[in-house]
């Protein structure tokens, strides 16, 4: 059993889930900030951020991100904000990387392509290199989003090419329809493939979210939960917000003897720059 402080990421919005599916999904800057504050209060330290237009359409517009980030930091100055560079399926690299113009400390980076429901989430090597290059130019640390096993191999190939620099930080996003499923044996296999010294977190999709959170806590990893990934706290019972999922993970951590990372510990564990 590990006593490494646990870093919980709250994925509060996403690009796909709508208020029709779950009324608690935040769209506006004020809604995002209020939800981030509730998640922080429950123990989340990282906010994985997507933004929406007023009608809920996903966007990667820089000024929409700026408004959301400013609103979140006004309420929760210690939050670590991780803008998405995945955006929504079909967006261009230019759209996807727009929030990097704001010099965030952290961002997501998906290192491979996969089916995504009935669509394809395209991340060719030129796409990944363009995103990684812009992140590096802005001093932004990347979290490598792994939807399938080859994405780890791709990340390691990018290390060899000098595009990514170890130590790496991975997020195993498991259970996306069309990509790797979210069972613990898949997680165990993935962990056998990452370099020593890497840090990692797990984002289980749908019904895989909470079982994988528990598995990650037991194995010394970190955890991402939130409405982007799953809208249920238990079978058929909708979450009142991402904060409720964060609360469940914090309770699992207490059961397992894992302290929740302070904001400073989270920055240090994730090797993030200050400010
Ligand atoms: N919305 C997905 C197509 C990320 O944020 O980096 C991609 C995604 C990954 O959510
Ligand atoms: Zn995302």
């Amino acid at each position: 059993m590990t006593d490494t402080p646990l870093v919980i990421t709250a994925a509060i919005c996403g690009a796909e889930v709508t208020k029709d599916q779950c009324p608690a999904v935040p769209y506006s800057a004020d809604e995002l900030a209020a939800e981030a504050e509730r998640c922080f209060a429950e123990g989340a330290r990282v906010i994985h951020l997507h933004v929406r237009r007023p009608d809920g359409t996903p966007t990667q517009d820089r000024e929409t991100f700026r408004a959301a980030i400013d609103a979140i930091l006004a309420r929760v100055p210690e939050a670590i904000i991780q803008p998405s560079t995945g955006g929504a399926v079909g967006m261009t690299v230019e759209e996807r990387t727009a929030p990097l113009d704001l010099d965030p400390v952290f961002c997501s980076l998906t290192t491979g392509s996969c089916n995504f429901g009935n669509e394809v989430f395209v991340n060719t090597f030129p796409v990944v290199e363009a995103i990684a290059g812009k992140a590096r130019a802005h001093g932004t640390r990347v979290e490598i989003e792994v939807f399938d096993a080859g994405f780890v191999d791709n990340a390691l190939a990018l290390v060899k090419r000098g595009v990514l620099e170890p130590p790496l930080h991975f997020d195993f996003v498991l259970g996306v329809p069309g990509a790797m499923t979210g069972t613990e044996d898949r997680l165990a296999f993935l962990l056998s493939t990452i370099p020593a010294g890497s840090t990692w977190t797990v984002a289980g999709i749908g019904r895989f979210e909470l079982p994988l959170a528990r598995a990650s806590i037991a194995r010394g990893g970190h955890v991402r939960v939130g409405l982007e990934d799953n809208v249920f706290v238990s079978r058929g019972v909708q979450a009142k917000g991402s904060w409720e999922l964060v609360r469940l993970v914090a309770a699992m951590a207490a059961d397992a003897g894992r302290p929740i990372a302070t904001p400073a510990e989270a920055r240090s564990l994730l090797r993030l720059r200050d400010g």
Side-chain angles (χ1 to χ4, degrees):
M1 180 49 63
T2 170
D3 56 6
T4 305
L6 175 70
V7 180
I8 304 174
T9 296
I12 60 178
C13 171
E16 291 82 24
V17 64
T18 65
K19 284 186 191 288
D20 290 340
Q21 290 164 277
C22 180
V25 175
Y27 290 168
S28 69
D30 279 353
E31 289 173 346
L32 288 162
E35 185 61 16
E37 187 175 31
R38 287 188 284 266
C39 288
F40 188 87
E42 298 293 343
R45 298 293 172 250
V46 180
I47 303 296
H48 172 72
L49 188 65
H50 290 252
V51 294
R52 307 290 186 96
R53 298 202 181 95
D55 69 355
T57 312
T59 175
Q60 289 289 104
D61 174 63
R62 186 187 61 200
E63 295 311 313
T64 309
F65 265 102
R66 191 195 301 276
I69 291 169
D70 287 352
I72 294 170
L73 292 180
R75 284 184 184 238
V76 202
E78 291 179 295
I80 299 164
I81 301 179
Q82 180 197 69
S84 169
T85 67
V89 166
M91 288 179 172
T92 64
V93 175
E94 289 70 29
E95 286 176 280
R96 288 171 58 177
T97 56
L100 298 180
D101 292 332
L102 304 172
D103 299 327
V105 293
F106 207 16
C107 72
S108 60
L109 173 72
T110 304
T111 53
S113 303
C114 61
N115 286 353
F116 192 86
N118 291 331
E119 302 180 288
V120 178
F121 183 30
V122 175
N123 294 287
T124 60
F125 277 118
V127 167
V128 179
E129 291 197 23
I131 298 171
K134 187 165 173 182
R136 179 187 287 220
H138 285 267
T140 302
R141 180 154 171 75
V142 300
E143 176 180 89
I144 298 165
E145 310 299 320
V146 173
F147 292 59
D148 220 325
F151 293 21
V152 174
D153 302 310
N154 293 347
L156 301 183
L158 291 165
V159 169
K160 280 202 179 124
R161 286 194 222 166
V163 175
L164 295 177
E165 206 179 314
L168 303 177
H169 174 67
F170 295 93
D171 176 23
F172 301 116
V173 185
L174 301 181
V176 169
M180 203 163 185
T181 193
T183 51
E184 200 173 340
D185 61 340
R186 303 309 199 275
L187 174 62
F189 171 70
L190 289 166
L191 291 176
S192 75
T193 69
I194 61 175
S198 305
T199 51
W200 56 277
T201 188
V202 174
I205 304 300
R207 67 190 170 88
F208 297 110
E209 184 170 78
L210 296 172
L212 278 178
R214 195 178 291 282
S216 183
I217 290 167
R219 290 169 179 268
H222 302 289
V223 172
R224 168 175 133 175
V225 288
L227 299 180
E228 173 169 348
D229 302 334
N230 165 50
V231 298
F232 295 106
V233 286
S234 59
R235 198 184 178 89
V237 181
Q238 215 169 64
K240 297 185 193 76
S242 294
W243 61 269
E244 212 182 351
L245 295 157
V246 174
R247 178 179 286 180
L248 291 173
V249 173
M252 287 178 196
D255 282 350
R258 293 269 310 261
I260 301 296
T262 64
E265 285 170 339
R267 281 178 191 271
S268 162
L269 284 161
L270 298 172
R271 302 179 172 101
L272 300 174
R273 66 165 212 259
D274 285 334

